[in-house]
């Protein structure tokens, strides 16, 4: 709900002097986008903007450290000499309004209106690192274009990786040579060195020098912004944004450090690559992305505001990160849903926050303060505020049931909300409801990332594990098969991942990976792997069956039906039974009929019965399914996965006692069958035997700590068994404690 | 017993129906004893809803609006969200706050609507 406010126009983010004060995002976006179209032209033309009067201050300030920079050949040229003054002139002209003004802003806070159009060519030494870097490089390019010597400004510690540095080094050398083809070799080298030294490449420690006065701050601001990935547009709006958001300029160091701690700046290289395409696509983006740009900018502004608060708790809060992320365009809000955009970074974000979140007490207050003018909420006033806010919001959406609202207010609100709040907090400390809300919101964010991850895999995007020890192994497939046979499912997964990383077209690798995931009780990853296997080998029957099974588990009926039908079509013996034209509009009844025909054709074929069993699960004709599986089992009694299928079917038709014995058979055949352990837990839980179920869940989780389903179920069982003392252990996924407490 | 519905939630409802006939289900009836109406929409809440009544007084699940009076609480979900709440992937409080779950009727009754009352699907 809060996000909506943000997106649709939070009060805190007004852009003074802009055309439409009611929609700061729109204004900013227009300004941004408006200027970005000029970007292209700007980048190509020679800088001719007039030097500003205030520029002289900056200029002097920046001039000083040049002498302090060791090793830069350019330093010498800065001494009063023909080239030096030419350089200085060049610098000044390159340094246009925005930079100078912003710098002054920092030190003499007046509220300025920035002509956004003018700040293209100066390198933004503040703002997100990629942006800074790109603008820095642009200015290099432009200076080069204009035949002006490039001045090295100390831009320390961008956190460029070695690869990045090498890339920059190479490219800039080439570029410089190209630009200064008419000048001497030395000059070219000097330019390149200037650029490189500014970027702290060649491993020289440029930033260790004592930088005078204003420059230190500049450096720090730079460090601050290291990690924020910019949105797809090369932003100039930073300057004006900065003007708006000097809200309580706290200690920049704290902010810097906290950000530094939390993140590493990577992705610069890709940004650099994108740089070129960005420029060309800016115009296309304009049309398509204005609302998202607007949203992004507003959230960025908000993030900036929020980040001014130097309380580390606040900074670490997931909400801030969420907002930052939104501002970077990594996630966007559409239809009141948070959606990851194409630029989202992989899921480490969530785990980082998990580690560092400390509770957002001060954040909550700050947030309330910021939002106070927009909402009439009294978040900090306890339950009533939240309630009122919620009911007003409901009213806005026109879906309020009056009776409900009045009943709601009649009820003893305190009790309800307290309980609500308590439940929401889940063991964390928060007493006041704002804190609870913060916690709940963080949970929501966590959920979002898991949802995102889940939805990624359901679209067939496989999520690889980090830190895979098998990468580089000479024959990971063999290793994987070995580990699988031994029953070490998680290890097998890693080895197989190494295999498919090496050979993405190895159908067998993907297939086995899929099976391993399914047995490890991770249908999402199983589906993703199997889909890759199918891409490589569309006719592999086992793959098709596995896909059918996984989709059935996820209750995705249409998809499951499709796969099972394909199984029939691609089967050498039965393909004649299944007419291909039916593939588009599959009716369950028809497919079942075909399979029954196949069964009649060859009653000794266990596979047909297995597929039939799965099919009947889909239509919830459990008795028939059980019959099919039993028939198959007579033919293949040592197939552990078949026992599990039988068990699951029985469990789903609430024949839990039978289910448990079937699972036991499966486990006898394969003791590390995580899925069977989890299913056992489910069967006990469904019978109300929560204590027992806990033990089985814990056992399953001990074998595969990544089985998210099992964690959820464990949680439910813990609360049903009134073991809230263990709830913390469950939430923190503390297996040791849980195993000790609930042995089998 | 095959339901013709395409919704995932239909499968859950069927399972619930079976579950209520079992001992555990009977305990549930004793413990809760309320009538819930659940409106499930395929994509967007309130559009093309399928209505189920989980009657934990009598211990049955029926399709269609509740005829025997007023349900103690009425919930509205989309298919995906109901699936998530019922399998414990999403907390009902979170769902409520996000607007993924709408509630009408008695709030104390609504509070009792937790994931643990639903049986979990087992995986083949």
């Amino acid at each position: 709900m809060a996000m909506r406010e943000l997106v649709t126009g939070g009060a805190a983010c007004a852009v003074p002097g802009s055309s439409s004060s009611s929609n700061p995002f729109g204004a900013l976006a227009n300004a941004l986008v408006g200027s970005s179209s000029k970007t292209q032209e700007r980048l190509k033309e020679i800088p001719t903007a007039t030097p500003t009067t205030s520029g002289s201050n900056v200029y002097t300030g920046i001039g000083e450290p040049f002498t302090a920079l060791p090793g830069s050949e350019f330093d010498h040229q800065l001494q009063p000499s023909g080239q030096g003054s030419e350089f200085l002139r060049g610098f000044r002209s390159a340094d246009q309004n925005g930079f100078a003004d912003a710098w002054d802003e920092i030190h003499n806070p007046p509220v300025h209106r920035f002509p956004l159009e003018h700040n293209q060519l100066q390198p933004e030494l503040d703002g997100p690192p990629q942006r800074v870097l790109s603008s820095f490089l642009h200015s290099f390019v432009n200076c080069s274009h204009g035949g002006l010597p490039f001045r090295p400004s100390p831009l320390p510690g961008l956190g460029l990786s070695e690869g990045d540095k090498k890339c920059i080094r190479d490219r800039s050398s080439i570029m410089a040579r190209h630009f200064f083809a008419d000048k001497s070799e030395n000059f070219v080298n000097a330019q390149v060195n200037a650029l490189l030294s500014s970027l702290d490449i060649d491993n020289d420690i440029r930033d260790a020098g004592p930088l005078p006065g204003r420059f230190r701050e500049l450096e720090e601001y730079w460090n601050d912004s290291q990690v924020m990935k910019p949105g797809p547009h090369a932003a100039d709006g930073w300057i004006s944004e900065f003007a708006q958001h000097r809200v309580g300029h706290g200690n920049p160091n704290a902010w810097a450090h906290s950000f530094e701690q939390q993140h590493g700046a990577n992705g610069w290289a890709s940004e650099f690559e994108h740089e070129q395409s960005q420029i060309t696509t800016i115009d296309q983006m304009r049309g398509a992305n204005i609302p998202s740009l607007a949203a992004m900018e507003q959230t960025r502004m908000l993030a900036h505001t929020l980040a001014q608060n130097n309380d580390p708790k606040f900074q670490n809060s997931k909400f801030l990160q969420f907002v930052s992320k939104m501002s970077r365009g990594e996630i966007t809000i559409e239809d009141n849903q948070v959606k990851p955009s194409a630029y989202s970074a992989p899921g480490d974000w969530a785990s980082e926050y998990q580690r560092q979140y400390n509770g957002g007490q001060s954040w909550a207050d700050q947030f309330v303060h910021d939002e106070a003018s927009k909402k009439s909420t009294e978040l900090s006033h306890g339950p009533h505020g939240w309630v009122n806010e919620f009911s007003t919001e409901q009213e806005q959406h026109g879906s309020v049931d009056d009776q409900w609202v009045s009943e709601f207010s009649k009820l003893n609100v305190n009790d309800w909300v307290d309980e609500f709040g308590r439940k929401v907090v889940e063991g964390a400390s928060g007493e006041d409801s704002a804190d609870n809300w913060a916690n709940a919101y963080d949970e929501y964010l966590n959920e979002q990332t898991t949802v995102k991850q889940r939805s990624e895999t359901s679209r067939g995007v496989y999520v690889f594990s980090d830190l895979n020890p098998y990468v580089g192994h000479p024959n990971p497939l063999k290793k994987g098969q070995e580990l699988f046979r031994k029953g070490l499912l998680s290890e097998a997964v890693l080895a197989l991942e190494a295999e498919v990383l090496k050979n993405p077209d190895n159908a067998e690798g993907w297939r086995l990976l899929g099976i391993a995931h399914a047995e490890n009780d991770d249908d999402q990853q199983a589906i993703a792997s199997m889909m890759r296997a199918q891409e490589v080998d569309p006719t592999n029957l086992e793959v098709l069956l596995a896909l059918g099974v996984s989709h059935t588990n996820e209750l995705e009926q249409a998809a499951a039906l499709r796969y099972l039908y394909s199984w029939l079509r691609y089967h050498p013996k039965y393909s004649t039974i299944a007419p291909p034209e039916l593939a588009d509009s599959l009716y369950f009844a028809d497919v079942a009929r075909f399979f029954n025909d196949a069964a009649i054709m060859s009653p000794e074929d266990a596979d047909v019965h297995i597929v039939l069993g799965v099919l009947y699960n889909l239509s919830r004709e459990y008795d028939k399914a059980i019959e099919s599986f039993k028939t198959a089992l007579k033919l293949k009694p040592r197939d552990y996965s078949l026992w599990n299928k039988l068990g699951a079917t029985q469990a789903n038709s609430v024949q839990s006692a039978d289910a448990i014995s079937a699972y036991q058979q499966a486990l006898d055949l394969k003791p590390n069958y995580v899925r069977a352990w989890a299913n056992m837990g489910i069967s006990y839980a469904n019978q109300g035997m929560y204590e027992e179920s806990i033990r089985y869940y814990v056992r399953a989780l001990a074998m595969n700590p990544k089985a998210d389903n099992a964690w959820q179920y464990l949680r439910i069982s813990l609360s049903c068994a009134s073991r809230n003392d263990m709830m913390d252990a469950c939430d923190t996924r503390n297996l040791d404690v849980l195993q000790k407490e609930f042995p089998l | 017993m095959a339901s013709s519905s395409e919704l995932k939630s239909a499968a859950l409802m069927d399972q619930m129906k079976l579950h209520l006939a079992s001992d555990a289900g009977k305990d549930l009836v004793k413990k809760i004893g309320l009538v819930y109406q659940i409106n499930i929409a395929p994509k967007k809440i309130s559009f093309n809803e399928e209505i189920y009544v989980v009657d934990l007084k009598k211990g049955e699940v029926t399709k269609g609006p509740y005829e025997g009076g007023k349900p103690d609480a009425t919930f509205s979900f989309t298919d995906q969200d109901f699936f998530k709440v019922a399998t414990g992937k999403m907390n009902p409080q979170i769902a409520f706050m996000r607007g993924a779950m709408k509630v009408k009727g008695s709030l104390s009754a609504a509070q009792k609507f937790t994931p643990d009352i639903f049986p979990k699907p087992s995986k083949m």
Side-chain angles (χ1 to χ4, degrees), chain B residues 42-96:
Chain B
K43 289 274 150 67
K44 209 168 142 184
I45 296 189
S46 304
F47 285 82
N48 290 336
E49 289 177 334
E50 278 191 23
I51 303 183
Y52 293 91
V53 172
V54 178
D55 187 337
L56 294 175
K57 270 197 202 132
K58 281 195 246 158
E60 59 185 27
V61 175
T62 49
K63 212 167 163 206
Y66 187 51
E67 307 294 329
K70 262 192 91 172
D72 292 303
T74 303
F75 295 90
S76 302
F77 289 95
T78 58
D79 194 30
Q80 287 286 356
D81 291 335
F82 178 69
F83 183 73
K84 280 191 227 164
V85 170
T87 53
K89 290 193 171 76
M90 178 157 67
N91 207 313
Q93 285 87 356
I94 303 287
F96 184 56

Side-chain angles (χ1 to χ4, degrees), chain A residues 127 147 175 247 368 532 588 684 710:
Chain A
M175 270 170 34
V247 179
V368 168
R532 295 294 296 264
F588 180 82
Y684 279 111

